[in-house]
Amino acid sequence: MSLATDTTRRLREGMARGVLSFPLTSFHDDGTLDPDGFRAHVAAQIATGPGAVFPACGTGEFFSLDEDEYRQVVTIAVEEAAGSVPVVAGVGYGWAQAARFARIAEEAGADALLVLPHYLVAAPQDGLVAQVERIAARTRLPLIAYQRGQVAFTAASLRRLAQIPTVIGLKDGHSDLDRLQRLTLAAPEDFLFFNGASTAEIQARAYATVGVPAYSSAVHAFAPEIANAFFAALKAGDDSTVQKLLRDFYVPLVELRDRVPGYAVSLVKAAARLRGRPVGPVRAPLTDPSAADLAELRTLLAAGLDLVGAAL
């Protein structure tokens, strides 16, 4: 069995039993990496039963890590997972820099890579495919392409990606269900798809209708009790619980998140700190929430935990 086939199998099994965890990267108050804090955080994440762990991705502030910090983060995630769940590390920027990160992740023992959208420029479809091809040519690890921002694949491009032996899936952050349905129909049967919308639970039911039930959960990084309760209710068809959690927790969280650019990460980190998690502040250009927004977040988090029988 090839590495790509085995990783696909492990990810598919994980996606069926739990949400996908995107751990936060821990920093000290002075902005330096906190390896011990990250180790404690990722160990706690794994203990709650996610389907896979994705270190050093968007929620993990990949864009702010240098190569040495990246190596430490991926290595710690691999050590803590100890083979219990797949570890998929983020890589990004242009293909040359992405390949450098890919080599580090491979040396650290990662199982696969999430190819984050490239830096800054818009590009034609041939260029989007070539970016993934060039990364794939420089690593043995399986790749999951991530379409978001300036990256959006057509069905024809998806077919080309799927022909690359080590490309095993696509994560979608556009929430264009018409386009996504076309992509799922164009892909081979064993190709993996992931819902990567911000606060993915909001659109989880809609994504599932076009054949994409698996999703990443930022809430899992600070309230796995809520994230796991939502996942269980969704899987069991418990619409009453799904509706209640959406109405009373997830929608208010999204409304708070949308107030300030970057809150998709900094609110998550703030919520984790409210629960005593050793994740520290965000790095610039992100900013931590205002005192007023932090107080509102605390109230919302306490209410959400109460909905699932947990406490702040």
Side-chain angles (χ1 to χ4, degrees):
M1 182 182 298
S2 70
L3 178 59
T5 300
D6 184 53
T7 302
T8 298
R9 175 190 60 78
R10 293 179 64 208
L11 281 167
R12 192 179 300 282
E13 291 173 354
M15 289 155 50
R17 68 171 181 265
V19 300
L20 305 175
S21 169
F22 283 67
L24 301 155
T25 299
S26 300
F27 300 119
H28 294 293
D29 289 342
D30 65 359
T32 57
L33 184 68
D34 178 6
D36 293 337
F38 179 71
R39 186 178 294 278
H41 171 60
V42 77
Q45 288 281 285
I46 291 170
T48 61
V53 174
F54 289 67
C57 294
T59 306
E61 298 178 78
F62 166 80
F63 57 85
S64 77
L65 301 176
D66 66 29
E67 292 182 12
D68 180 63
E69 292 169 332
Y70 177 85
R71 184 185 299 276
Q72 292 183 67
V73 166
V74 177
T75 298
I76 289 169
V78 169
E79 290 173 351
E80 292 303 317
S84 62
V85 293
V87 175
V88 184
V91 297
Y93 306 113
W95 63 262
Q97 186 63 43
R100 290 175 64 92
F101 282 103
R103 286 195 295 272
I104 294 170
E106 186 171 341
E107 291 166 1
D111 296 292
L113 303 170
L114 178 66
V115 181
L116 302 169
H118 66 269
Y119 174 70
L120 190 60
V121 296
Q125 290 295 308
D126 284 349
L128 297 181
V129 174
Q131 163 87 344
V132 179
E133 288 175 335
R134 281 161 174 72
I135 298 169
R138 289 160 175 82
T139 178
R140 61 185 287 272
L141 293 181
L143 305 180
I144 298 166
Y146 187 6
Q147 62 170 20
R148 192 185 187 99
Q150 69 269 32
V151 177
F153 295 104
T154 63
S157 293
L158 189 281
R159 292 188 189 97
R160 291 172 62 189
L161 288 179
Q163 290 173 0
I164 303 170
T166 55
V167 174
I168 64 173
L170 178 75
K171 182 181 180 184
D172 174 72
H174 284 295
S175 303
D176 181 340
L177 296 184
D178 179 278
R179 175 188 288 267
L180 188 57
Q181 182 70 90
R182 295 168 190 263
L183 295 178
T184 60
L185 293 173
E189 187 175 348
D190 61 345
F191 205 74
L192 301 174
F193 284 91
F194 307 84
N195 168 1
S198 297
T199 315
E201 286 90 344
I202 290 287
Q203 300 183 62
R205 288 187 294 190
Y207 268 80
T209 64
V210 295
V212 185
Y215 60 89
S216 56
S217 175
V219 170
H220 189 271
F222 64 85
E225 303 97 327
I226 299 174
N228 289 341
F230 183 91
F231 180 87
L234 189 67
K235 189 172 182 179
D238 181 356
D239 289 336
S240 176
T241 298
V242 168
Q243 288 289 99
K244 186 172 184 61
L245 287 171
L246 287 174
R247 182 180 59 248
D248 297 339
F249 175 73
Y250 282 99
V251 168
L253 178 66
V254 168
E255 291 173 349
L256 180 57
R257 180 202 72 198
D258 288 347
R259 287 182 190 170
V260 177
Y263 265 18
V265 176
S266 56
L267 269 186
V268 174
K269 259 199 165 172
R273 292 195 302 273
L274 286 174
R275 304 205 68 198
R277 308 296 190 257
V279 297
V282 292
R283 275 182 171 173
L286 300 179
T287 59
D288 289 312
S290 67
D293 288 344
L294 189 61
E296 187 172 337
L297 177 63
R298 180 188 291 272
T299 299
L300 175 59
L301 178 55
L305 290 167
D306 185 64
L307 289 172
V308 297
L312 186 60

